[in-house]
């Protein structure tokens, strides 16, 4: 069966095509309520489905916002997405979501631009070397009237941003652990080309150096639970199981920290009795794990809400800065 057309709705309601379009596509020029009600009734009777592109032309907006995240299964990104979605609804926008591995962000941005979303929010972990094609696509999108907001770092000219002070968070977390009397440290890091991982490692190194200490080991693994698990296996192979006792492991995020604790448990070591572990982000599902994880809390849902406000408020793009809060729990 072919789709019901707007012309059929107009004939059923006894109005012109232009009048039917104004009613169903959301134009500011609206006919009398009696006529509008007749058009809506005809559309419902015939089963007419409005054309989103036609509505966008009539309203000069698609009512869509695109969000690019690294991994929607990661509670860090799902929390940000929850905040973006909640605040987008208050701006009467629907959320389109693209989860990328970090290598296909260009495809996601191109798709959002093709769908003429009103804004694009980039929450995927930024790589040190940004694909010039991605930059060109985002700049072209902005020139055509689209709004862009980046989360984590302020890296696109003319865009809004919610910046996260990862370096200071790494330094504060490590310094607090030093003040607690810890002198032996290892860092479980993410990929060297991910800016978040690089900044947190830099903060860790700075705090250790200020304390006159030297890290006993640093690892580089994937930015997920498996990466934390493999980091511990790497440490066992490099320094031996016995040398892990008394260490403080600072993981580049909470997910890695949880993977590390699992690997330690499988190796016969217990946190915090044998060694301490800490992470970053304070992801919402930490309440389900024992021991409770010491971490740096970032208000992830609020970050998403702020990004949506910057993207959809209609004001000039602005930059908001977010700092972390140290949270001590049983793991350290």
């Amino acid at each position: 069966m072919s789709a019901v057309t707007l012309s059929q709705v107009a004939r059923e309601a006894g109005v012109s095509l232009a009048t039917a379009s104004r009613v169903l596509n959301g134009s500011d020029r609206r006919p009398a309520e009696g006529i509008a009600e007749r058009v809506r009734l005809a559309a419902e009777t015939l089963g007419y489905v409005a054309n989103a592109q036609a509505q966008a032309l009539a309203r000069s907006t698609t009512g869509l916002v695109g969000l690019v995240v690294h991994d929607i299964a990661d509670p860090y990104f799902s929390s940000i997405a929850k905040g973006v979605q909640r605040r987008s609804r208050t701006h009467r926008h629907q959320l389109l979501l693209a989860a990328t591995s970090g290598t296909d962000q260009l495809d996601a941005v191109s798709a959002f631009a093709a769908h003429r979303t009103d804004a694009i929010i980039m929450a995927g972990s930024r790589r040190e070397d940004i694909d010039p094609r991605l930059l060109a696509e985002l700049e072209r999108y902005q020139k055509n009237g689209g709004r862009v907001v980046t989360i984590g770092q302020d890296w696109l000219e003319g865009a809004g941003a919610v910046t996260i002070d990862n370096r200071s968070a790494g330094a504060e977390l490590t310094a607090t652990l030093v003040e607690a009397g810890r002198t032996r440290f290892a860092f479980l890091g993410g990929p060297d080309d991910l800016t978040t991982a690089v900044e947190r490692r830099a903060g860790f190194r700075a705090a250790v150096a200020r304390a006159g200490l030297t890290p006993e080991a640093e690892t580089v693994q994937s930015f997920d639970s498996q990466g934390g698990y493999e980091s511990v296996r790497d440490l066992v192979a490099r320094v031996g199981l016995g040398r892990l006792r008394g260490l403080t492991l600072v993981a580049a995020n909470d997910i890695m920290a949880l993977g590390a604790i699992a690997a330690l448990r499988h190796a016969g070591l217990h946190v915090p009795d044998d060694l301490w572990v800490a992470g970053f982000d304070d992801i919402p599902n930490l309440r389900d794990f024992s021991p409770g994880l010491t971490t740096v809390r970032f208000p992830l849902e609020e970050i998403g809400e702020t990004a949506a406000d910057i993207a959809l408020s209609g004001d000039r793009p602005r930059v908001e800065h977010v700092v972390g809060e140290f949270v001590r729990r049983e793991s350290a």
Side-chain angles (χ1 to χ4, degrees):
M1 181 182 295
S2 60
V4 176
T5 67
L6 188 60
S7 296
Q8 290 174 291
V9 173
R11 283 197 302 271
E12 178 74 13
V15 300
S16 69
L17 179 61
T19 297
S21 176
R22 292 189 188 105
V23 173
L24 298 177
N25 290 327
S27 173
D28 291 334
R29 297 175 58 195
R30 299 291 296 275
E33 184 55 33
I35 296 175
E37 181 60 29
R38 201 162 73 228
V39 172
R40 288 192 289 266
L41 179 61
E44 182 178 350
T45 301
L46 295 175
Y48 174 74
V49 177
N51 185 304
Q53 292 178 331
Q55 288 184 331
L57 287 172
R59 299 172 181 172
S60 299
T61 174
T62 60
L64 300 173
V65 56
L67 173 65
V68 180
V69 301
H70 183 73
D71 179 7
I72 195 59
D74 186 331
Y76 174 89
F77 292 110
S78 60
S79 297
I80 289 175
K82 184 177 181 180
V84 172
Q85 183 177 44
R86 181 164 58 232
R87 191 53 55 85
S88 294
R89 285 175 176 168
T90 67
H91 289 280
R92 303 185 68 180
H93 277 67
Q94 292 296 321
L95 179 66
L96 299 180
L97 177 66
T100 75
S101 63
T103 58
D104 50 356
Q105 290 182 336
L106 176 61
D107 292 340
V109 168
S110 298
F112 288 154
H115 282 83
R116 299 185 181 277
T117 59
D118 295 326
I120 295 176
I121 299 173
M122 302 292 296
S125 297
R126 184 173 77 83
R127 300 193 175 269
E128 290 286 276
D129 296 321
I130 302 176
D131 186 343
R133 297 173 301 167
L134 175 62
L135 284 176
E137 183 69 27
L138 287 169
E139 289 168 356
R140 182 163 50 248
Y141 174 77
Q142 289 184 118
K143 288 179 181 177
N144 288 329
R147 306 256 298 191
V148 178
V149 177
T150 62
I151 294 177
Q153 297 84 30
D154 179 13
W155 53 268
L156 181 65
E157 185 176 355
V162 182
T163 63
I164 299 173
D165 198 343
N166 288 298
R167 186 185 181 101
S168 293
E172 179 187 356
L173 172 63
T174 308
T176 304
L177 296 173
V178 169
E179 291 171 4
R182 307 303 285 187
T183 59
R184 299 177 57 225
F185 288 88
F187 189 83
L188 312 184
D192 282 338
D193 63 341
L194 287 183
T195 304
T196 297
V198 169
E199 291 177 346
R200 292 175 178 179
R201 185 193 297 269
F204 163 82
R205 286 175 173 173
V208 169
R210 279 196 297 269
L213 304 173
T214 302
E216 297 199 11
E218 294 186 21
T219 65
V220 176
Q221 291 288 345
S222 57
F223 215 33
D224 53 21
S225 178
Q226 187 62 32
Y229 194 96
E230 293 300 329
S231 291
V232 169
R233 293 185 61 181
D234 184 23
L235 286 177
V236 172
R238 288 163 57 182
V239 305
L241 190 61
R243 287 286 298 168
L244 292 188
R245 289 185 170 86
L247 265 180
T248 296
L249 305 183
V250 177
N253 64 18
D254 290 342
I255 291 292
M256 291 190 74
L258 295 178
I261 291 174
L264 292 167
R265 184 169 58 249
H266 293 163
L269 296 177
H270 300 281
V271 178
D273 296 336
D274 295 318
L275 71 169
W276 286 9
V277 178
F280 294 85
D281 298 328
D282 198 29
I283 56 177
N285 57 337
L286 287 185
R287 68 177 70 91
D288 300 328
F289 293 89
S290 181
L293 184 66
T294 291
T295 186
V296 176
R297 174 183 295 149
F298 291 111
L300 301 176
E301 290 188 23
E302 292 179 22
I303 288 171
E305 290 178 346
T306 301
D309 274 337
I310 295 172
L312 300 174
S313 66
D315 299 330
R316 293 188 62 178
R318 68 182 191 274
V319 177
E320 296 285 349
H321 188 61
V322 176
V323 296
E325 174 190 358
F326 178 78
V327 179
R328 184 186 296 279
R329 297 193 181 100
E330 293 85 356
S331 72

